Amino acid sequence: MPEKSKDWMDQVTELIASMGGRGGALISFPDYRPDLAKVIAHGLRLGFYDFRAEDLAPRGANAGTVGLDELNSALLRLAAEGGAVVLNVESLLSTKTGEQRREWFEGFIREDWAKPLVLPLALFGHEAASVSDRVLRLQAEDLPTQGLVSRLIN
């Protein structure tokens, strides 16, 4: 019988611990799991920030004018405030080319953020998977199932 891999949250915790309390990490999920993004924030004692809800939605039809510089400004502020798990950055990244996304992922990983920033990815994790050791690819079989109630409230 094959040995089960390490608990998914242990993998996340070890990745963040290896960063020395600062910097960025990308967590690639096989599916959109806002429930687990919240679990990560709680488990790591980081803030939780929904970029789409906080920065894009209030702009309505003008959300398409938001640039990557505004995402970077939000991340800089969140890092200064103690770090965060930042959900839904892919809402903005989906408006960019694959090359622009890969460059942005590389810059995000290289940046020396003051506190940890963790970005859960569901759509573009495959583009970031080869960027660095600060990218964690989680497998569906290692994750808890998402119940109906969790799907409805997340």
Side-chain angles (χ1 to χ4, degrees):
M1 179 178 206
E3 185 176 319
K4 184 164 173 47
S5 66
K6 204 177 297 182
D7 177 83
W8 74 274
M9 189 61 194
D10 288 343
Q11 294 177 58
V12 173
T13 302
E14 287 177 12
L15 171 61
I16 302 310
S18 75
M19 295 167 31
R22 60 188 308 125
L26 302 170
I27 311 294
S28 177
F29 284 90
D31 298 302
Y32 182 65
R33 294 295 302 267
D35 59 318
L36 297 183
K38 292 174 184 175
V39 168
I40 292 171
H42 178 76
L44 297 176
R45 296 186 174 142
L46 293 173
F48 179 81
Y49 191 82
D50 185 334
F51 182 76
R52 180 180 60 205
E54 299 294 331
D55 290 73
L56 297 179
R59 296 176 191 223
N62 293 325
T65 65
V66 174
L68 292 173
D69 55 330
E70 291 181 64
L71 171 57
N72 291 337
S73 293
L75 293 173
L76 188 61
R77 178 179 49 78
L78 292 166
E81 292 172 355
V85 174
V86 186
L87 187 65
N88 291 323
V89 298
E90 289 174 303
S91 297
L92 178 60
L93 294 175
S94 68
T95 67
K96 309 304 176 197
T97 67
E99 184 176 332
Q100 289 171 314
R101 287 189 297 268
R102 283 186 292 280
E103 288 175 8
W104 188 85
F105 287 142
E106 290 171 7
F108 170 77
I109 292 295
R110 274 194 316 269
E111 185 69 34
D112 186 26
W113 305 102
K115 294 291 181 183
L117 292 173
V118 181
L119 306 185
L121 304 173
L123 298 175
F124 303 117
H126 63 284
E127 294 179 358
S130 61
V131 172
S132 89
D133 59 353
R134 290 192 175 194
V135 177
L136 176 61
R137 180 178 282 290
L138 297 171
Q139 302 302 318
E141 60 269 12
D142 295 329
L143 301 174
T145 58
Q146 185 178 24
L148 177 62
V149 173
S150 177
R151 287 177 194 241
L152 293 173
I153 62 173
N154 286 296

